[in-house]
Amino acid sequence: MIIAVASGKGGTGKTTVATSLARIAADKLSTDICLIDCDVEGPNADIYLKPRISGTKLSTQPVPVVDSEACNICGKCAEVCAFGAIAVLPDRVLIFDDLCMGCGSCVWQCPENALSEKDHVLGEMREGSTSTLAFAQGRLEVGRSRATPIIRNLKKWQIRPERNAWYILDAPPGSACATLEAVRDADFILLVAEPTPLGLHDLSLLVGAVREGLGTNMGVIINRSRGRDGPLEDYCLREKLPILARIEFSREIAAAGAEGQALDEVMPQIRQTWEGLLGDIQ
Ligand code: SF4
Ligand code: SF4
């Protein structure tokens, strides 16, 4: 079972929900629970869970390197690269590692065998555990621009059938490639939204992207709820999105979150909500 926790915009409380849900799942369910922090540009689930890190691994992607002795500047590699990662100049070939998707086409198609591959470091992946659950996290290296490959590598590293675990994924905020990569294999997506015009706008973008690209089942958790969340509720009704939980607007919760306290520590009644939700998803 893979549950992804996503939000259309940052600062909505997605990590607060993901970490608290993982803690309760680890208490309630007999299966192993693994929280994977896929928000690789700003990972912070470790602040709430305080895991002991037991291993790290570099996340890499193959990129081409050119042997200038063998290259005859034919231009074929730039022609086949659909991502504009190669420029062929009159006297040399330039490769832009950050634009490369690692597809290998240029290497295969080079008539002079002048291209080979090297590993390009994207960032670091870490794994560890708390007393009740497993934990993993990716961190994009400073200066790297693409989060998607490291998220893919992180999921491949951690999500293995023989583990027989439940995975709770903290996805990057937004509705672009990195978010969709994180939620792609999920059995269920929990959408955390706040009842503001901007929150509703960004939620609708995410819902549209998921429906068009993935079609996964989704439900909404309203954070900073005022009790009656008018336009957001209307939207959920119209889009047939069940509202699965509400987290009240509370200064105490915000302050505790800023101190790195898990939601269920400051709001113990959320346990019942998460248990019900896990039961429904199960
Ligand atoms: S395809 Fe090979 S030989 Fe042709 S320009 Fe590219 S690297 Fe050089
Ligand atoms: S590996 Fe693929 S994406 Fe990268 S430079 Fe070659 S053709 Fe372009």
Side-chain angles (χ1 to χ4, degrees):
M1 172 64 76
I2 302 175
I3 302 171
V5 184
S7 64
K9 74 177 202 54
T12 307
K14 173 180 56 62
T15 305
T16 305
V17 167
T19 50
S20 175
L21 182 66
R23 280 163 51 90
I24 302 304
D27 268 2
K28 177 185 163 63
L29 304 177
S30 50
T31 184
D32 290 344
I33 302 296
C34 180
L35 183 289
I36 305 180
D37 186 354
C38 297
D39 189 359
V40 300
E41 289 183 76
N44 62 354
D46 52 326
I47 294 172
Y48 296 94
L49 293 176
K50 303 169 186 66
R52 192 177 54 82
I53 299 300
S54 54
T56 61
K57 191 176 172 185
L58 286 180
S59 175
T60 62
Q61 175 188 278
V63 294
V65 269
V66 62
D67 173 355
S68 51
E69 297 289 310
C71 171
N72 65 5
I73 315 288
C74 72
K76 182 80 180 165
C77 50
E79 256 173 55
V80 301
C81 181
F83 304 98
I86 301 182
V88 178
L89 305 184
D91 61 340
R92 71 205 134 114
V93 172
L94 297 179
I95 296 169
F96 305 103
D97 292 349
D98 274 328
L99 296 181
C100 174
M101 297 284 171
C103 71
S105 293
C106 55
V107 179
W108 284 28
Q109 303 265 357
C110 172
E112 304 299 324
N113 287 326
L115 292 172
S116 55
E117 288 180 320
K118 66 167 184 183
D119 278 340
H120 176 58
V121 175
L122 305 164
E124 188 186 73
M125 304 183 292
R126 315 193 303 157
E127 67 178 356
S129 58
T130 70
S131 58
T132 58
L133 56 88
F135 173 85
Q137 186 174 64
R139 285 173 187 264
L140 192 67
E141 189 157 300
V142 173
R144 297 285 183 258
S145 56
R146 288 191 310 115
T148 308
I150 185 169
I151 295 170
R152 194 181 308 129
N153 287 348
L154 179 64
K155 289 171 68 181
K156 200 166 156 196
W157 186 39
Q158 292 295 319
I159 302 178
R160 305 184 301 271
E162 73 274 11
R163 239 177 133 172
N164 196 26
W166 275 43
Y167 300 92
I168 296 178
L169 272 47
D170 184 8
S175 50
C177 299
T179 307
L180 295 182
E181 180 62 39
V183 306
R184 192 159 53 89
D185 313 311
D187 298 295
F188 197 88
I189 303 175
L190 294 172
L191 303 164
V192 183
E194 58 182 24
T196 61
L198 187 57
L200 174 53
H201 173 265
D202 290 352
L203 173 69
S204 67
L205 291 181
L206 178 56
V207 169
V210 170
R211 283 206 168 136
E212 189 165 325
L214 308 171
T216 314
N217 284 331
M218 298 178 276
V220 172
I221 294 172
I222 301 182
N223 192 18
R224 305 187 189 107
S225 170
R226 302 273 188 179
R228 289 168 51 98
D229 303 307
L232 180 54
E233 284 182 19
D234 294 346
Y235 170 80
C236 292
L237 197 64
R238 237 180 8 255
E239 294 294 328
K240 298 187 174 46
L241 289 166
I243 296 173
L244 302 170
R246 290 175 204 265
I247 301 165
E248 68 192 81
F249 184 82
S250 144
R251 193 183 182 288
E252 193 193 353
I253 293 173
E259 295 291 325
Q261 259 187 291
L263 178 65
D264 49 285
E265 289 177 298
V266 61
M267 187 184 167
Q269 64 274 27
I270 200 71
R271 166 178 285 270
Q272 210 180 348
T273 306
W274 291 161
E275 285 182 351
L277 190 151
L278 289 165
D280 289 346
I281 291 176
Q282 213 170 3

